[in-house]
Amino acid sequence: MTRYRNTWAEIDLGAIRYNLKQLKRLLPKDREIMGVVKADGYGHGSVEVAETLIEEGVRYLMVAYLEEAIKLREHGIKEPIFVIGRVPPQFAQTAVDYDVELNVFQAEWIKEALEHGFDGVLSIHLEFETGFNRTGIRSLEDLREIVKQIEAASGKIKIVGAYTHFATADEIDSEHYNHQKTTYEKMLKELNRLYKGPIMTHIGNSAAGIQYPEDMRQFTRFGISLYGLYPSKAIKSLNKVTLKQAFSLFSELIEVKKISPGEYIGYGRTYQAEEEEWIGTVPIGYADGWPRALQGFHVLIGGKKQPIVGRICMDMMMVKLDRPYSVGEKVTLIGKSGAEEITVDDVADYLNTINYEVPCMITSRVPREYVNRKVD
Ligand SMILES: Cc1ncc(COP(=O)(O)O)c(C=O)c1O
């Protein structure tokens, strides 16, 4: 497809392949990876990432919403897909039709899904609430009630998985993690007592998978680490795995000019030149997910840091240049330029947020271009 604009995100699928290999190496041999591609593959492109993971042997995917699962199916992805969000019970039929597995944690949900009615068999994972308090079955009593309702549905609903999610696996202190793990095991024991049939188990995200690989159940739900980002600075400092960032963001100068001392830049005149200065205009703005809060941060041009001056507009921003560059000169917003690099973590730190948010916040208005570099 023609790219008309001068701004693009470059996604290195080679880095994703590399990260997958490193994570696999960490886990005991008999464990598998569920590739988390929700939020359009954390902004990297869910279809392209899913296809890459599948090529490399991943045989389970996870998304957050039914729409995200349908998109994968419509692109020909056949592997099992687990949806962690609460899909409204009236869409059970859609889940069956698209062969998508749902997260269930309420007896009421089962009742409503059966009342709406659906043809075929619905596959579900039960979520155990163990200390995160987002969604999940809160007690053994609630678990028994849910299993009772499933048994009463005469084979229309099949439990295929049982899982939980950790609140603090990205911290070094393991107390709460251990509490959650023990609670999960207790609930799983009860489920195995009540329900006959193979149930796949999965508890860990990237942080748990990297920090406690031996504890991981059949599957580990790796998200952020597949994209080459560490779930926290604490996990990175463990030095257990080397990851390669897959996301870069580039643009090109569309105007270069010399301004005089005393001239202002942009909305609100928040920047005033003290001397003669070279100013470049870059076609990216907050509607692309490059927020106004990045005023004062920098980009790289010609391997050098160039500060963002004045307010970031909806579609453009201005940078102060160390010398006159040509229109069309490459601008690196995230990635490498010469010996310099701006990482996703650098942007996250400047915004006082976590790296997860950065590729997710770059909107679909920024085209994703794919490369497949070999990482050695
Ligand atoms: C239930 C669940 N599992 C796994 C993940 C993947 O987590 P991470 O990206 O930290 O690997 C998420 C992400 O938010 C999640 O909500």
Side-chain angles (χ1 to χ4, degrees):
M1 213 172 81
T2 310
R3 171 165 62 76
Y4 297 106
R5 65 179 300 193
N6 318 57
T7 298
W8 71 102
E10 184 187 275
I11 312 300
D12 183 1
L13 297 172
I16 293 176
R17 288 179 212 278
Y18 172 87
N19 297 329
L20 176 67
K21 280 195 193 105
Q22 306 312 305
L23 295 165
K24 253 193 211 157
R25 211 173 278 171
L26 212 58
L27 291 176
K29 290 265 170 303
D30 58 344
R31 316 296 151 83
E32 292 194 53
I33 288 177
M34 188 183 290
V36 180
V37 295
K38 64 194 170 109
D40 201 20
Y42 292 39
H44 295 66
S46 62
V47 172
E48 291 80 358
V49 172
E51 284 172 350
T52 304
L53 295 176
I54 291 163
E55 264 175 45
E56 297 296 326
V58 167
R59 61 174 191 102
Y60 238 102
L61 299 167
M62 188 195 107
V63 295
Y65 295 111
L66 193 49
E67 284 84 347
E68 295 178 322
I70 291 172
K71 180 174 172 185
L72 296 177
R73 286 283 180 259
E74 286 179 344
H75 281 81
I77 286 170
K78 304 264 187 301
E79 275 60 23
I81 303 175
F82 168 50
V83 177
I84 52 146
R86 182 188 186 277
V87 173
Q90 64 267 35
F91 299 123
Q93 183 68 68
T94 313
V96 173
D97 291 345
Y98 280 95
D99 191 17
V100 167
E101 300 167 4
L102 301 186
N103 180 23
V104 172
F105 45 89
Q106 293 153 326
E108 195 58 25
W109 190 97
I110 292 169
K111 193 166 152 262
E112 282 182 42
L114 291 169
E115 276 167 12
H116 282 286
F118 54 89
D119 296 326
V121 177
L122 176 69
S123 295
I124 63 165
H125 296 236
L126 294 183
E127 180 183 7
F128 300 160
E129 163 47 40
T130 59
F132 195 102
N133 273 315
R134 182 168 65 181
T135 50
I137 302 166
R138 290 178 60 79
S139 65
L140 292 179
E141 204 183 353
D142 289 352
L143 173 62
R144 287 182 203 117
E145 179 56 30
I146 287 183
V147 175
K148 201 166 103 191
Q149 297 224 12
I150 290 168
E151 299 283 17
S154 8
K156 286 204 74 63
I157 300 179
K158 190 165 81 174
I159 304 173
V160 296
Y163 87 104
T164 195
H165 189 47
F166 293 115
T168 59
D170 62 342
E171 297 169 13
I172 302 304
D173 184 340
S174 58
E175 191 190 334
H176 192 64
Y177 166 82
N178 283 324
H179 162 75
Q180 285 198 260
K181 193 161 70 77
T182 310
T183 310
Y184 174 82
E185 279 154 11
K186 215 185 294 172
M187 294 183 85
L188 183 65
K189 195 166 163 210
E190 182 65 358
L191 178 61
N192 283 329
R193 190 182 72 77
L194 296 169
Y195 189 82
K196 296 296 159 234
I199 293 177
M200 62 174 280
T201 53
H202 45 109
I203 54 175
N205 53 2
S206 294
I210 295 171
Q211 189 162 202
Y212 311 105
E214 303 289 335
D215 287 355
M216 292 302 98
R217 291 278 181 162
Q218 194 177 353
F219 281 85
T220 304
R221 303 182 304 268
F222 283 110
I224 198 76
S225 51
L226 287 174
Y227 304 100
L229 304 173
Y230 293 86
S232 67
K233 293 198 163 59
I235 295 291
K236 186 172 183 181
S237 72
L238 293 175
N239 281 328
K240 285 199 167 194
V241 66
T242 307
L243 302 172
K244 303 274 182 224
Q245 182 180 300
F247 192 95
S248 300
L249 183 62
F250 300 114
S251 190
E252 289 166 359
L253 292 175
I254 56 162
E255 191 195 76
V256 176
K257 59 184 163 282
K258 185 153 79 175
I259 64 167
S260 307
E263 278 196 73
Y264 296 100
I265 302 287
Y267 286 119
R269 301 191 303 167
T270 61
Y271 181 82
Q272 186 177 30
E274 283 175 6
E275 52 194 353
E276 279 196 340
E277 291 178 14
W278 287 98
I279 298 292
T281 301
V282 186
I284 186 168
Y286 60 79
D288 298 306
W290 193 250
R292 275 167 51 120
L294 284 168
Q295 179 172 350
F297 190 58
H298 56 270
V299 299
L300 301 175
I301 301 174
K304 292 203 185 90
K305 288 182 185 168
Q306 321 276 346
I308 297 170
V309 291
R311 287 201 177 128
I312 294 174
C313 311
M314 185 183 277
D315 319 299
M316 283 176 257
M317 66 174 187
M318 281 66 84
V319 294
K320 181 179 167 185
L321 304 172
D322 65 320
R323 63 172 177 83
Y325 290 90
S326 309
V327 165
E329 182 78 31
K330 190 172 184 186
V331 179
T332 301
L333 297 104
I334 297 174
K336 290 186 180 141
S337 169
E340 285 283 349
E341 182 175 12
I342 298 174
T343 63
V344 169
D345 283 0
D346 293 334
V347 178
D349 287 347
Y350 192 84
L351 291 173
N352 211 3
T353 184
I354 52 169
N355 52 19
Y356 291 68
E357 214 177 316
V358 175
C360 287
M361 79 189 180
I362 304 302
T363 65
S364 57
R365 197 168 75 153
V366 176
R368 268 60 173 173
E369 294 194 352
Y370 292 89
V371 296
N372 225 319
R373 298 215 169 84
K374 186 147 170 41
V375 183
D376 21 62

